[in-house]
Amino acid sequence: CHIGAHVHVAPGATLCGGVHVFPEAHIGAGAVIRQGIVIGTGAVVGAGAVVVSDVVAGAVVVGCPALARTSIRERMGEMRPGA
């Protein structure tokens, strides 16, 4: 496994062999990242998610199997005043 700088891996998360996690990513509690998966820069994996395919930078994925629900860029736009 390769874990980039400033990555947060919550308790109970499982990263199988060959996983590559780019900087600033967040892995939720109890998430499972299958072998050989790439988690992009700034991506968020929800608690309990089972990731079976690569996650693009900035994506927010949840579920079993994990699916992209939104992106950090979209969420930040929603949080800005007047957005």
Side-chain angles (χ1 to χ4, degrees):
C1 291
H2 174 78
I3 308 296
H6 308 289
V7 169
H8 177 258
V9 179
T14 302
L15 283 68
C16 300
V19 172
H20 188 105
V21 183
F22 280 87
E24 307 291 331
H26 300 272
I27 313 279
V32 176
I33 314 297
R34 299 294 304 262
Q35 185 171 351
I37 298 297
V38 174
I39 306 295
T41 301
V44 176
V45 176
V50 178
V51 181
V52 297
S53 60
D54 293 348
V55 178
V56 299
V60 177
V61 299
V62 297
C64 178
L67 300 173
R69 297 296 182 204
T70 187
S71 73
I72 295 299
R73 182 170 289 160
E74 290 173 9
R75 298 292 297 168
M76 293 305 290
E78 293 173 7
M79 296 168 76
R80 279 184 278 173

